Structures are given as structure tokens and as C-alpha cells.
Amino acid sequence: MTSFKPLVFSGVQPTGNLHLGNYLGAIRKFVDLQESNDCIYCVVDLHAITAQLVHGDLGAQTRSITAAFLASGIDPKKHIVFNQARVPQHAELAWIFNCVARIGWMNRMTQFKDKAGKDRENASLGLLAYPSLMAADILVYRATHVPVGDDQKQHLELTRDIAAKFNNDFSEKIGELGVGVEMQVGDETVNGFFPMTEPLIDGPITRVMSLRDGTKKMSKSDPSDLSRINLTDDADTISKKIKKAKTDPEPLPSDIEGLKGRPEAENLVGIYAALAGTTREQVIADFGGQQFSVFKPALADLAVDKLAPIATEMRKLEADPAYIDSVLRDGGERAGAIAEATMKTVKQIVGLLDN
Ligand code: TYM
């Protein structure tokens, strides 16, 4: 049985500053995965214009996310780092997926509902079709694994639905052309052109919460800068934000069960575990019964130790935009070669002539 070659793909939008949630939910995993996988990491600039068409400087934002990838330790020579707009096949495959996916599927997406708000009729068509472009990002490389934070889970389920419908709708043609690959889906072995991509949403914290409110996701759109740690924050700012983080008056519990119903404590313990590369159980074993006046300075030191060097390296890289552009150009060429081959076959499958 042939099967898909493992390939990791993920993307980050160039909208606003990256924060600790993006780092622990995604970028740190990108870095770890590159040790034993082929990886493609993309700055998704076409997604950035779905919610807001006109940006101050989209190019600078794109370079800044690229700088964060490199400063965190992603190797653009061994792997591929590029921005989406350089590879037109993303948008081309997304169009085909717009014709595979159903409007009802898109209407059910919680991120669409959140972002469109009450005035849905006035949201861009791009915002509604956003998950279709996301599926195309992944499947134009026929990627098998996608590291993301918890908030992207529903989009990845939709990616599998699109792949399954395409494989099913065109099963005869895929067989005729001999371009299918066998894969295990549940108990069944099926033959398809697109893989059933696996989300990689694991680790001690899959959703980093606001430092001001443990029930809200840490987000770039929160008006309070104290709610998040930005990847560009310097050591003093990181320390200050952790020390000011909201907590309850109780000491840390002596077992993991004791974190239930204490969202702020749970968030800080998860952040500590992820930054230290350990488990929440271990953090509780080390700090259980201690006051936040002891735990917070330890967390602040750890966060400064892990994050401040990234900020310093980012600033260095951002001072050399020509270098960043050369990384994106080279990555775009290598990504483009893979995407072009996929699209050629997709057009044959669908029956679109381009010879
Ligand atoms: P974006 O740009 O909003 O976020 C980038 C990554 O950061 C994760 N993340 C978080 N993880 C944990 N806690 C948080 N508070 C937190 N906030 C953000 C996100 O889950 C994501 O992994 N749709 C995607 C971009 C995208 C993509 C793709 C991802 C486009 N195409 C293909 C994977 C594969 C997004 O808006 O991520």
C-alpha cells in the first residue's frame, strides 16, 4: 500500500503583533517538528485581507511574521518559508474548493460567526470562503500534518470534509488517471488524491488565555496590551505583564484537579509548562501549595529567558528586509514547484483544459 509522505504545513496571518498564544499554540511546535519532518510554513497574506482589505503596511507585517519564524529557530534552507501571495495556486485551488464546499458548511464556522459579528450581510465574501482557502493552503502540498492552536480545529475538520468530498466526487477519474493514494480512514482503506490531514493540537496548553481574564482567548485584537505578551516585548515588559496578571487569592493547588474552576491559575500553569518543556503535573509538583507571589516571579524569569532572545533576534532580522525578502522569494519558488504539479493533476481530474 502506498501512502502519503508525511509533510507538515501551517500558516500564520500577518495581522498585528504575534503573541504568546501564537508562539505556544503554533510557532514553538513548528520549530520542534522541523527536527524530523519536511515542513512548509507560510505567512498567509491573502487571509489577512478577508477581514480588513486595507492595511497600513501589509508588506512590513509579512516580513515581521517571517522574522518571528526565523528568530524562533525555523531553518528556511532545510524547510520552506514563504508568503501565500507568491504562489498563485493557493487561490486557484481555493476556487475549486469553493465549488466543492457547501455554503452551509461555511455558515457553521464559529470563527466566521465571531468575525462577521451581527452584520453578516456586510462581511466580505472572502471572510465566508476563508476556510476554503485554508484547505487549499494545506492540500495544494497534500500535507498530512498541521500544527495549530485549538481555535483552528473546526477549520481543519472542514479541510478533511473538502478532501473527502473531492476524493469521493472524482473517485472514478482519480482511479482512471492512476493518481490516487491509498489511505486508512477509520476502519476503511480508501483511495484518494488528497490526504485526510491530521491536526496537531497537543501539548500542555492548546489555547493560551488572556492575562486579564482567564476565560477569554489571548488575542491580538484585545484592546488591553496587558492581556497578552507580544513576541516583540522586551524583558521588563514581559516581567511586568506577568506580575500584573490577574489571579485569584488562593495558593496553587497541590494536584491538577484543583485547577478546575480557576481559569487564571490554570492558564499560568499551562504557560509555565509549555515554556519549560514539561507537563502541568510537573509544574504542580514543583509549585503546588505556593502563593502566586512565589510562582509569578519564577514564571516571569522563565518567560524572559525563553522569549526575550527571540525579540532581540527579530529586531536584528527586521533591520534587513532585503534578506527577509530573499528568504520568501526562495521559499516561494520551492513551494510553487510543488503547488504547480498538484494543480496540473487537479485540473486533469476536474477536466479543466490548460494544455
Ligand atoms: P492565526 O494567524 O490567527 O494564528 C496563528 C496560529 O496561532 C494559534 N493561536 C493560538 N494558539 C493558542 N492560544 C491562543 N490564544 C492562540 N491564538 C492564536 C492559531 O491556532 C494558529 O495556529 N487560519 C489560521 C491561519 C491559516 C492556517 C492555514 C493555519 C491559514 N491557512 C493553513 C494552518 C494551516 C489563523 O488565522 O491563524
Side-chain angles (χ1 to χ4, degrees), residues 9-13 19 21-22 24-26 44 47 84 111 115 130 134 137-138 146-152 155-156 206-209 217-220:
F9 180 93
S10 197
V12 175
Q13 290 196 65
H19 52 71
N22 300 123
L24 294 180
V44 291
H47 276 110
Q84 200 181 21
Q111 286 222 337
K115 287 194 181 156
Y130 179 114
M134 185 162 158
D137 297 338
I138 299 164
V146 181
V148 279
D150 181 61
D151 61 343
Q152 296 301 315
H155 286 157
L156 293 181
T206 57
R207 180 177 289 243
V208 178
M209 308 308 272
K217 192 176 79 167
M218 184 178 284
S219 138
K220 28 195 162 197

Side-chain angles (χ1 to χ4, degrees), residues 25 60 67 112 118 127 136 191 203 221 225 243 266 274 288 295 312 322 329:
F112 172 67
K118 286 202 172 63
L127 192 66
N191 191 279
S221 55
D225 196 53
K243 289 181 185 152
E266 185 167 23
F295 181 61
T312 309
R329 209 175 305 121

